[in-house]
């Protein structure tokens, strides 16, 4: 037992077995699917199932109890254990680092389920993820046994399964260290530009179907620095309410005026556009210099997609610019993995700026901005990261180039196609299974992000811990990352998982669902066996027909 | 209990204002209110859950119904006021249009382009970015992007932040390769969701030990670190006193945090002291808020080193915390590369928040923040760029750990880092060579210990060329708020930069040594921007002979270029040359 994280235990199993644990072999050709949206068809409205109202009331009561107990503990704690509250009180003339109110949620709610977060791992987060065993000592302290446990990985953003420690991409990254070193050593505009950087930019631009692209060493930083080069206080940015923190931060940095519309509500967007264009800037009523609509391709907490066809229609009608963050959709959606445009069969030229990250589908890190050549050239001069921030390190570039080439079929022909079709199949397979078992899941049929709703904050740790004990690693998210009442488990599907892995997951979920009373669905979002009745299939019935049913154009 | 409290208050009132006749009535009213309040509170008792609320109200308001009632009234008033004022303002601001009018307005609206196109005068800046073929190391190959041809090989690289030349270090490579062979490249998840690997934790420990502080936390990119750390501690109403020469990352961070800002003259500790003195009486009257002094260690814009001993003395005297940006000084200053703090032989514990980068001397990638435990732990949930972004690639973490080991590994006779000693030797060697050049055209302006040597065109020469004292605007300095629009394109800034580029190209041609110049993006800078500077980044991989050669060539080239551009008209005539520039 040690307070320090142990070194990764050596693994002397044969290479082939280790590879299998990172990326499972396809067990049957039937387990493939091509994801795409039929061109011209309207986007099916995602139906969000609502649990019975008493679930909401109980959820609020759940919070109330947690908050009251938290306050009671605080009240007593401050008297009897003042040393625990040192960080919250003024000391020796210095204000505390943070005030108790700001910190209450963390201290009294999050800390109680701290063991479900930040579980340290080692090795590639592929099909299985290796978690260090640890025992909570309270107050966020842990003791480690030195052992680690392999869990099925439904938590990492490893959509196409490129988180691997062997194979073409790894070889390429290793090779690049010999030829380029480990670091880019300076910002792009100083001496941080090598031939490999320029090549990567061309490869990603071609992949997403734009003329040019700029790469950045971090996805968050890509957004955080971008908007300052696009907008100032006389411009308007219209942002989906569920946009990622990096977009919101970037827009705030730019000083532009921000208006938020209800998530994916195109009528609300149009209303806002009409109002804003006619009203102009506040007070002066001068026309806006420009209006930028910022949305995401695939929302990482909801699993639904933006309504791209409608957005393009609105953007053209109202002469606005459209920015789409494809962090989760690039690679993971579309018959060729080229993201949201590919999925909707829309020409990428209709979108002004396509942003995405390499962190997810490509097993690398960083982000890109792709656009027309004049736009990207100008950004090379005015984009903050280009002059003030580190450039992308070479091994990451190697991973990006090689994974993109595999997806395009230029490297290892056939491998990319299989990865794409596996994630499409796996996503639908797991989603349909969960629906039929009776869970409320959000999002689009083809989305590899599958949020399973728990509602009660207290059920988050239950689900996380029970699944952990069954060797399944999942991510739980609650307030403030989601609305107060909709705490959830977020599953990220990967090509690396086999159909048998998913069967195991479904079986265990079914067990946990019964155990923690999670099967709330009413059937309005589909999945029912008998129309009109809530779906409550047995696991056996689900598995019997799931392969065929999940390949139907619309999930039944 | 309530009555008892009330009567005491009332008697007190009576004793202080004996002539008043109100108290009995007041007593009557209050007790009536108190009674009914208690009555309703008791009703609460009967609904489920009400008991708990009741107990809660009782305990928090110490059974004083009048106070509770008063606060409730205040609350309702506040809500009402808040809502009504907003509604009124919005209504007044909205002009009513019919649907047709709106359509008309939409038809007439002509938005500006998303971004302006690159204008002809600034196009050269794109060509002036050096493109490296292959390895970015102390001796490298440059090529021309358009033709694909090599410009020169074996170029001495004095333009990189890899001061210690660790990007060429075999042990760092070995460690990185071993990690890629077990964990792949990307971390595929944010730190709080299975993105934390053993090597990340190890690096946090290694770094904390190296810096001699309690804990550290890793960020995915250097630039976002300040912008994420500062707003985690400084909010509206908090105060910071900031050096007016800080870099863009800190400027942006301060703007986002919305705290109150006081500026002191760049590196002027006397001014800092006078501001602290001046603020003290008002601050003493207020409740204690978070207060910081914010400075860089080694300044990006000027190459100055902050007067840390004095700042530490002041911050202790006036009870401020100190935020120190060691981005350029880490792995560079101090006998073991521990930064400005070691440079002055101070204790790291004096520094409340230290931030820095792994992408410089450590030849890796990412940023960090270090300090005491409660501070660091707070960021794990409350810092945007930490919680909402993927972890550093694991190989990158181990490369940084290895670089720290490399720095500490070989020791000089005095027991200090040999690598750092080498860098310092080269720095002072080149610095003395450059400062001994007799010229009226330029001046070495950076601190003698700075491995980034700044050379500015001299005051008199710039005056002869009709160049302004500074660029940009002073809006942020004067108001503490971001200017409403970006700085406009400056012809003078553009052409002065081009003049420096001519020197850089001349030096490269003559001696095969690449130096660089400051490349601030004028559009974004919120503080006044000093004249563009030539930058020489000393590199351990360059020999003393090569540095000598640089000093010699630089003198010749500067004289040549500057003599040919001796007045404003000549400077402006460079525009023709600039329009045709296609070097790299
Ligand atoms: C929509 C979106 N944009 C940007 C990012 C940030 O990317 P990175 O993790 O590479 O910093 C994320 C990551 O979670 C994201 O979901």
């Amino acid at each position: 037992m040690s307070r320090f994280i142990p070194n990764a235990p050596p693994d002397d199993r044969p290479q082939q077995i280790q590879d299998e644990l990172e990326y499972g072999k396809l067990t049957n050709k039937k387990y493939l699917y091509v994801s795409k949206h039929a061109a011209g068809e309207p986007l099916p409205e995602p139906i969000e199932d609502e649990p019975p109202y008493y679930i909401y009331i109980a959820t609020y009561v759940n919070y109330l109890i947690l908050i009251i107990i938290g306050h009671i503990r605080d009240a007593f704690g401050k008297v009897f254990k003042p040393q625990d509250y040192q960080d919250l009180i003024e000391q020796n003339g210095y204000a505390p680092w943070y005030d108790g109110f700001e910190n209450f949620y963390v201290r009294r709610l999050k800390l109680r389920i701290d063991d479900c977060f930040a579980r340290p791992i080692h090795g590639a987060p592929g099909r299985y993820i290796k978690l260090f065993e640890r025992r909570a000592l309270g107050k966020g302290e842990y003791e480690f046994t030195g052992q680690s446990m392999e869990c099925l990985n439904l938590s990492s953003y490893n959509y196409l399964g490129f988180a691997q420690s062997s194979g073409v991409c790894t070889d390429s990254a290793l090779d690049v260290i010999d030829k380029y070193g480990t670091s880019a050593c300076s910002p792009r505009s100083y001496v941080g530009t090598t031939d490999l950087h320029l090549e990567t930019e061309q490869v990603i631009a071609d992949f997403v179907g734009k003329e040019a692209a700029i790469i950045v060493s971090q996805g968050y930083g890509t957004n955080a620095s971008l908007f300052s080069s696009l907008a100032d206080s006389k411009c308007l940015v219209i942002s989906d309410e569920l946009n990622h923190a990096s977009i919101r931060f970037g827009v705030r940095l730019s000083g532009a005026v921000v208006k938020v519309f209800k998530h994916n509500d195109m009528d609300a967007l149009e209303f806002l556009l009409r109002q804003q264009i006619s009203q102009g800037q506040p007070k002066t009523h001068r026309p806006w210099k420009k209006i930028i609509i910022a949305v995401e391709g695939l929302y990482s907490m909801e699993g639904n997609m933006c309504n791209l066809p409608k957005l393009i229609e609105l953007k053209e009608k109202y002469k606005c610019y459209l920015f789409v963050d494809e962090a989760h959709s690039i690679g993971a959606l579309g018959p060729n993995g080229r993201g949201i445009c590919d999925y909707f069969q829309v020409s990428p030229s209709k979108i002004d700026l396509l942003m995405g990250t390499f962190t997810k589908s490509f097993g690398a890190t960083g982000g890109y901005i792709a656009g027309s050549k004049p736009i990207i050239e100008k950004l090379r001069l005015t984009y903050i990261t280009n002059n003030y921030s580190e450039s992308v390190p070479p091994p990451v570039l190697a991973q990006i180039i090689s994974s993109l080439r595999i997806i395009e079929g230029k490297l290892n022909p056939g491998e990319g196609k299989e990865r794409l079709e596996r994630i499409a199949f796996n996503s639908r397979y797991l989603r349909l299974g969960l629906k039929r078992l009776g869970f409320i899941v959000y999002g689009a049929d083809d989305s590899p992000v599958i949020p399973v709703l728990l509602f009660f904050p207290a059920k988050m740790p239950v689900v996380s811990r029970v699944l952990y004990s069954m060797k399944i690693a999942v991510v739980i998210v609650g307030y403030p990352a989601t609305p107060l009442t909709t705490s959830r488990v977020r599953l990220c599907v990967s090509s690396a998982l086999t159909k048998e892995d998913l069967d195991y997951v479904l079986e265990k979920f079914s067990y946990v669902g019964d155990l923690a009373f999670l099967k709330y669905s009413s059937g309005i979002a589909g999945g029912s066996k008998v129309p009109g009745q809530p779906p409550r299939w047995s696991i056996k019935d689900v598995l019997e027909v799931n392969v065929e049913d999940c390949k139907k154009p619309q999930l039944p | 209990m309530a009555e008892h409290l009330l009567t005491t208050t009332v008697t007190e009132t009576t004793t202080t204002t004996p002539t008043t006749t109100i108290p009995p009535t007041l007593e009557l009213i209050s007790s009536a209110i108190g009674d009914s309040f208690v009555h309703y509170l008791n009703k609460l008792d009967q609904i489920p859950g009400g008991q708990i609320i009741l107990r809660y109200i009782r305990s928090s308001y110490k059974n004083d119904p009048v106070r509770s009632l008063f606060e409730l009234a205040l609350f309702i008033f506040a809500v009402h006021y808040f809502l009504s004022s907003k509604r009124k303002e919005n209504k007044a601001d909205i002009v009513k249009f019919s649907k047709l009018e709106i359509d008309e307005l939409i038809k007439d609206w002509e938005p500006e382009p998303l971004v302006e196109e690159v204008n002809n005068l600034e196009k050269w800046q794109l060509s002036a970015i050096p493109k490296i073929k292959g390895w970015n190391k102390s001796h490298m190959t440059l090529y021309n992007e358009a033709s694909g041809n090599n410009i020169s090989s074996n170029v001495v690289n004095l333009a990189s932040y890899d001061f210690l030349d660790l990007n060429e270090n075999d042990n760092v490579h070995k460690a990185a390769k071993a990690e890629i062979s077990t964990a792949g490249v990307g971390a595929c998840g944010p730190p709080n969701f299975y993105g934390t690997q053993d090597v990340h934790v190890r690096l946090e420990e290694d770094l904390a030990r190296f810096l001699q502080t309690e804990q550290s936390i890793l960020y995915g990119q250097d630039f976002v670190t300040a912008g994420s750390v500062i707003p985690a501690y400084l909010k509206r109403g908090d105060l910071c006193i900031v050096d007016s020469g800080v870099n863009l990352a800190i400027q942006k961070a301060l703007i986002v945090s919305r705290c109150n800002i006081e500026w002191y003259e760049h590196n002027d500790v006397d001014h800092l002291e006078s501001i602290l003195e001046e603020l003290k009486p008002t601050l003493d009257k207020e409740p204690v808020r978070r207060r910081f002094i914010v400075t860089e260690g080694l300044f990006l814009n000027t190459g100055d080193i902050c007067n840390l001993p004095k700042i530490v003395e002041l911050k202790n005297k006036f009870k401020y915390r100190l935020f120190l940006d060691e981005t350029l000084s880490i792995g560079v200053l101090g006998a073991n590369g521990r930064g400005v703090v070691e440079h002055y032989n101070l204790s790291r514990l004096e520094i409340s928040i230290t931030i820095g980068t792994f992408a410089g001397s450590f030849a890796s990638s990412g940023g960090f923040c270090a300090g005491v435990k409660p501070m660091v732990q707070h960021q794990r949930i409350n810092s945007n760029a930490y919680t909402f972004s993927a972890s550093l690639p694991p190989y990158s973490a181990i490369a940084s750990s290895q670089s720290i080991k490399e720095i500490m590994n070989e020791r000089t006779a005095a027991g200090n880092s040999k690598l750092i000693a080498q860098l310092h030797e080269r720095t002072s060697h080149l610095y003395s060579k450059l400062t001994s050049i007799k010229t009226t055209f330029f001046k070495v302006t950076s601190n003698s210990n700075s491995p980034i040597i700044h050379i500015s065109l001299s005051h008199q020469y710039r005056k002869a060329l009709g160049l302004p004292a500074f660029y940009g605007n002073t809006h942020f300095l004067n108001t503490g708020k971001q200017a409403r629009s970006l700085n406009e394109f400056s012809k003078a800034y553009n052409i002065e930069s081009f003049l420096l580029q001519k020197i850089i190209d001349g030096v490269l041609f003559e001696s095969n040594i690449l130096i660089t110049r400051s490349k601030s993006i004028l559009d974004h800078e919120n503080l006044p921007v000093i004249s563009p500077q030539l930058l020489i980044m000393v590199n351990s991989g360059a020999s003393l002979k090569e540095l000598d050669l640089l000093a010699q060539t630089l003198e010749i080239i500067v004289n040549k270029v500057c003599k040919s551009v001796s007045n404003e008209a000549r400077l402006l005539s460079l525009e023709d040359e600039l329009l045709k520039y296609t070097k790299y």
Side-chain angles (χ1 to χ4, degrees), chain B residues 58 60 67 73 85 95 108 111 127 174 188 243 266 283 294 331 374 382 387 441 459 488 506 515 558 571:
Chain B
R58 268 204 195 119
S60 74
R67 187 176 140 192
S85 67
V95 189
D108 290 347
S127 300
K174 246 185 245 154
C188 287
D243 186 295
H266 170 55
L283 291 179
V294 176
N382 293 284
T387 45
F441 291 121
H459 193 60
E488 307 230 315
I515 60 173
V558 171
L571 181 69

Side-chain angles (χ1 to χ4, degrees), chain A residues 295-366:
Chain A
V295 294
E296 286 183 32
L298 177 65
Y299 289 84
S300 62
M301 289 296 167
E302 310 298 308
N304 53 13
M305 303 172 202
C306 67
N307 188 343
L308 194 65
K310 185 73 188 171
L311 279 165
I312 290 175
E313 187 193 315
L314 289 178
K315 146 204 176 201
E316 285 174 351
K317 184 167 169 198
Y318 294 103
K319 294 177 269 187
C320 308
Y321 301 105
L322 182 58
F323 165 92
V324 181
D325 180 336
E326 291 224 67
H328 291 267
S329 52
I330 193 70
L333 285 181
N336 306 298
R338 292 173 195 220
I340 195 87
C341 296
D342 193 19
Y343 182 80
F344 284 111
Q345 320 220 354
V346 168
S347 161
S349 62
K350 297 210 186 279
I351 300 172
D352 299 279
L353 283 178
L354 280 170
M355 178 273 174
T357 67
F358 300 119
T359 321
K360 281 107 197 174
S361 296
F362 310 118
T365 195

Side-chain angles (χ1 to χ4, degrees), chain B residues 159-233:
Chain B
S160 151
Y161 286 148
D162 180 25
F163 304 103
L164 302 175
D165 200 22
L166 284 172
N167 202 27
E168 286 192 67
N169 186 293
D170 280 341
N171 295 338
V172 175
H173 295 174
K174 246 185 245 154
K177 284 167 81 172
E179 186 61 25
I180 290 181
S181 303
T182 60
V185 174
C188 287
N192 286 332
F193 296 150
Y194 306 92
T196 303
Q197 301 223 349
D198 49 347
V199 290
H200 294 113
V201 182
R202 203 72 68 231
L203 174 57
E204 289 179 352
E205 291 163 1
D206 290 345
L207 183 73
R209 211 173 303 118
F210 178 69
L211 290 177
Q212 297 165 335
T213 183
E214 286 180 21
Q215 283 202 340
S216 72
I217 178 168
L218 311 180
Y219 282 84
Q221 187 198 36
D222 48 10
F223 190 84
V224 298
T225 311
S228 201
V229 172
I230 290 183
Y233 304 103

Side-chain angles (χ1 to χ4, degrees), chain B residues 124 136 146 198 213 227 246 250 360 438 483 506 554:
Chain B
W124 70 273
N136 183 0
D198 49 347
T213 183
V246 291
I250 298 179
K438 302 242 175 330
L554 192 66

Side-chain angles (χ1 to χ4, degrees), chain A residues 354-515:
Chain A
L354 280 170
M355 178 273 174
T357 67
F358 300 119
T359 321
K360 281 107 197 174
S361 296
F362 310 118
T365 195
Y368 65 84
I369 306 276
S372 70
K373 196 152 182 195
I375 291 181
I376 297 300
E377 289 230 309
K378 180 67 178 184
L379 283 180
R380 283 193 200 289
L381 293 180
T382 62
Y383 196 15
I384 291 176
T385 56
N386 257 21
N387 286 30
Y388 296 91
S389 172
E390 59 179 292
S391 163
V392 189
V396 173
L397 298 175
Q399 174 80 19
I400 296 169
I401 294 181
S402 54
S403 59
L404 280 170
R405 292 253 153 90
I406 289 175
I407 298 170
E408 288 175 327
K410 290 180 184 160
L411 254 176
N412 261 6
E415 183 186 334
K417 190 159 173 290
E418 186 197 300
R419 285 180 191 258
L420 292 170
E421 294 182 2
R422 280 180 73 173
I423 187 161
F425 175 85
N426 287 355
S427 304
R428 296 174 76 91
Y429 187 83
L430 186 58
R431 177 176 291 271
L432 181 62
L434 289 168
K435 264 190 185 174
R436 286 187 162 166
L437 286 173
F439 293 95
I440 295 185
V441 293
Y442 281 176
D445 288 353
D446 284 315
S447 153
V449 177
I450 307 180
V452 181
L453 274 289
L454 305 177
F455 302 100
F456 294 83
K459 288 186 182 178
M460 293 197 289
V462 176
V463 172
S464 176
R465 286 169 193 159
V466 173
L467 288 174
Y468 176 66
S469 74
M470 297 169 164
K471 304 204 170 186
I472 298 174
V474 295
V475 164
I476 48 169
V477 256
Y479 180 80
T482 68
L484 197 62
T485 51
T486 52
S487 306
R488 60 195 72 174
V489 177
R490 185 187 58 181
L491 306 178
C492 289
V493 181
S494 165
S495 309
L497 299 166
T498 65
K499 181 226 165 223
E500 289 68 28
D501 294 338
L502 297 176
D503 288 346
Y504 179 79
V505 171
L506 284 173
E507 191 190 316
K508 296 303 172 195
F509 250 87
S510 181
Y511 170 79
V512 176
D514 291 332
L515 185 76

